[in-house]
Amino acid sequence: MLIDLQRSAPATAMMITDTHQAKITFTDVELSRHLFGEHNAHLNRIATSLGVQIQARGNTVHLQGDEFAVQLAQNVLTQLYGLIKARYPVYESDIDYAIRLLSADDHAKLKDIFLDTVYITAKKISITPKSRAQKAYIDAMRRHDIVFGIGPAGTGKTYLAMAMAVSALTKGTVSRIILTRPAVEAGETLGFLPGDLADKVDPYLRPLYDALHDMMRFEKATSLMQQGVIEVAPIAFMRGRTLNDSFIILDEAQNTTSEQMKMFLTRIGFSSKAVITGDITQIDLPPQKTSGLIEAKEILADIEGIQMVYFTQHDVVRHRLVQDIIMAYDNVASKRMAEKAHGTNGETGK
């Protein structure tokens, strides 16, 4: 691949910043077509996101715009091309992740992150990290017996933990998977639920089932659950047990009480891994109850062998609007806290 970066003079004397140009020629024509996307869709996505002009001629692209944006677009295209050469299938969402990563750190290496395959699903989809935090999370699960993944919804905390669990089961490093979460209503009263105990708790555990069925065929997952190889249960079912040779995931841990969290953590036996996920901004416990997750992250932070990984809204890997929604809510919450503090200070000063 040949790269030629040149700087052009300002188009007019009235321009505040210079217009920069770059030209990138990719050596493999067929791979460059995959990079550009159908009808240059990938190039258009980069151009729109970064506010640059991109024109493709054969296997060469010409970029024009603000200096930083042009250099960022060049970096994104060059690294995505490297992924394609490594047989990584680049999708539109990967372009968004690449832009986000390289915007934050232009020295980041996409290959180190995107090519770290955690698991390949029954649909032949490779599950890989999409952010630095996700990469750190996966590495933590490989190296530590207890890992906390703390951050907003949509950052892949539960999904990646599930992928690691299924991978461990497939490789035979654990003999069973245990998935659990507290049965707490999220801001609404569901009332009386008909059916047996399993029917009553299933709605609370549905997100875990959804993630599991993304990893393997429904029939296989059902068979493993019937055999007890995969167990999905509310956290109350963990009391009195010792969980050996298992990969255990506690989801929605912000809704555990202090007692439940301590009980869960002391169930872990030999040759087991436990991953605890939660979002401390979405606690559905009664006001008088202390979140077991908040307490645990403070009490256990300095224990060797336990790793805390924190996610932010920048790690959201769902629809782009999810990140914007989380940021909007965070901004409002911060504003309200500032107004409340200001009001309190004002009252105190009277």
Side-chain angles (χ1 to χ4, degrees):
M1 180 177 61
L2 305 174
I3 301 177
D4 176 34
L5 179 63
Q6 60 183 10
R7 174 173 169 174
S8 66
T12 68
M14 296 298 293
M15 289 185 65
I16 298 175
T17 59
D18 291 347
T19 296
H20 288 253
Q21 296 179 345
K23 180 177 72 174
I24 311 175
T25 300
F26 300 97
T27 53
D28 190 303
V29 176
E30 187 61 30
L31 292 181
S32 66
R33 288 174 184 166
H34 289 292
L35 174 63
F36 299 169
E38 189 174 354
H39 304 300
N40 291 336
H42 292 173
L43 295 182
N44 293 335
R45 197 175 188 90
I46 295 172
T48 301
S49 296
L50 299 181
V52 297
Q53 296 179 23
I54 302 179
Q55 291 183 336
R57 297 171 185 169
N59 57 327
T60 299
V61 293
H62 298 264
L63 302 93
Q64 182 173 326
D66 172 76
E67 179 181 11
F68 174 79
V70 167
Q71 291 177 351
L72 178 55
Q74 190 177 16
N75 195 7
V76 169
L77 285 167
T78 302
Q79 293 211 41
L80 287 177
Y81 181 76
L83 289 176
I84 292 173
K85 285 183 69 175
R87 300 184 181 277
Y88 180 90
V90 171
Y91 300 101
E92 287 191 356
S93 58
D94 293 314
I95 294 170
D96 296 336
Y97 304 145
I99 291 173
R100 193 182 307 167
L101 269 166
L102 297 176
S103 295
D105 180 6
D106 60 353
H107 295 297
K109 302 298 181 185
L110 297 186
K111 280 187 176 182
D112 294 344
I113 298 173
F114 285 29
L115 296 183
D116 185 0
T117 302
V118 178
Y119 185 71
I120 299 176
T121 70
K123 297 178 181 179
K124 305 302 180 185
I125 297 174
S126 296
I127 298 175
T128 66
K130 304 297 183 184
S131 71
R132 280 188 174 277
Q134 286 195 351
K135 172 64 174 170
Y137 185 48
I138 289 167
D139 288 341
M141 286 187 278
R142 288 171 176 152
R143 297 169 184 165
H144 299 275
D145 289 339
I146 298 178
V147 176
F148 286 78
I150 302 171
T155 50
K157 304 183 299 295
T158 303
Y159 197 80
L160 288 175
M162 185 72 75
M164 289 291 290
V166 174
S167 176
L169 182 66
T170 303
K171 293 175 182 177
T173 55
V174 298
S175 62
R176 59 179 172 168
I177 297 173
I178 298 174
L179 313 172
T180 184
R181 67 187 307 191
V184 177
E185 295 169 348
E188 56 182 318
T189 302
L190 300 179
F192 174 78
L193 293 173
D196 58 19
L197 184 59
D199 294 327
K200 295 178 189 295
V201 300
D202 265 5
Y204 299 104
L205 304 173
R206 181 51 52 189
L208 294 173
Y209 287 115
D210 291 342
L212 177 63
H213 293 148
D214 263 5
M215 307 292 161
M216 58 178 63
R217 291 187 178 88
F218 181 84
E219 297 79 8
K220 183 176 181 180
T222 302
S223 174
L224 291 174
M225 291 175 69
Q226 290 174 346
Q227 297 170 41
V229 175
I230 298 177
E231 179 182 346
V232 185
I235 193 170
F237 284 32
M238 299 297 107
R239 191 173 299 279
R241 302 176 62 183
T242 301
L243 307 174
N244 294 316
D245 198 25
S246 304
F247 198 115
I248 314 147
I249 300 173
L250 170 57
D251 192 32
E252 296 290 333
Q254 75 275 6
N255 288 328
T256 59
T257 63
S258 175
E259 295 79 10
Q260 286 175 327
M261 178 62 76
K262 181 179 178 182
M263 179 271 293
F264 171 80
L265 291 171
T266 53
R267 298 307 94 201
I268 299 164
F270 295 106
S271 302
S272 289
K273 283 185 178 288
V275 180
I276 299 96
T277 71
D279 177 2
I280 57 177
T281 68
Q282 296 190 24
I283 298 173
D284 301 310
L285 292 170
Q288 67 274 17
K289 288 285 188 179
T290 300
S291 167
L293 179 59
I294 291 179
E295 186 179 69
K297 78 182 183 70
E298 297 170 355
I299 293 175
L300 308 177
D302 297 325
I303 296 182
E304 187 176 351
I306 298 178
Q307 184 71 32
M308 306 277 178
V309 180
Y310 294 91
F311 297 84
T312 70
Q313 65 267 24
H314 300 294
D315 299 303
V316 171
V317 292
R318 291 181 184 170
H319 193 287
R320 178 189 58 80
L321 288 175
V322 174
Q323 185 182 28
D324 294 340
I325 290 167
I326 291 171
M327 292 182 69
Y329 273 97
D330 285 348
N331 290 338
V332 170
S334 298
K335 184 178 178 181
R336 287 175 178 170
M337 288 180 65
E339 290 174 348
K340 185 177 180 180
H342 179 74
T344 302
N345 292 337
E347 291 175 5
T348 303
K350 289 182 180 179

